[in-house]
Amino acid sequence: MTADPQAREPREDDCQCEEALAHLQEYIDCEMSEVDTVRLRVHITTCLTCQDEVGVEQWLRRMLRRSCVEEAPADLRERVLTQITAVRAAVVRGSGPH
């Protein structure tokens, strides 16, 4: 069996699925530091599960942009985003809805 020349041993500071999924919104919105963005990008490009999650989130955003002609008030948007973040964090921890 030939070793993959691109493969390397995992390091302690490598990003894992839990971290990638917890910061997915920030990653897609380009709201992360360059160092964290690179860490997540490296993980996402090698993880089919996380690639799928990015794809679903991007698809959902496209559908919402097409469907919504009115913009929600800023305070409502903030409350909804806070709720989404809380639910995603609970799912990542394994204590939320599945």
Side-chain angles (χ1 to χ4, degrees):
M1 183 170 184
T2 306
D4 180 356
Q6 298 291 328
R8 64 174 176 77
E9 290 295 315
R11 297 187 325 211
E12 188 176 314
D13 64 338
D14 283 351
C15 177
Q16 300 298 317
C17 291
E18 183 175 305
E19 180 182 0
L21 296 174
H23 296 285
L24 188 62
Q25 300 294 319
E26 297 163 273
Y27 174 77
I28 292 173
D29 293 336
C30 302
E31 295 177 345
M32 302 181 78
S33 71
E34 185 175 341
V35 170
D36 288 335
T37 298
V38 169
R39 288 181 63 245
L40 262 69
R41 184 179 304 124
V42 166
H43 173 77
I44 290 168
T45 59
T46 61
C47 176
L48 293 177
T49 300
C50 289
Q51 287 176 28
D52 287 347
E53 289 298 319
V54 169
V56 167
E57 183 65 31
Q58 290 173 330
W59 175 84
L60 178 61
R61 289 174 178 216
R62 283 191 306 274
M63 293 300 106
L64 288 172
R65 276 194 296 275
R66 283 188 212 156
S67 301
C68 299
V69 290
E70 292 183 34
E71 188 168 315
D75 62 324
L76 174 61
R77 293 180 70 195
E78 182 69 29
R79 290 193 319 260
V80 169
L81 290 174
T82 299
Q83 289 285 337
I84 290 170
T85 301
V87 168
R88 282 202 170 123
V91 168
V92 167
R93 288 190 308 272
S95 61
H98 296 277

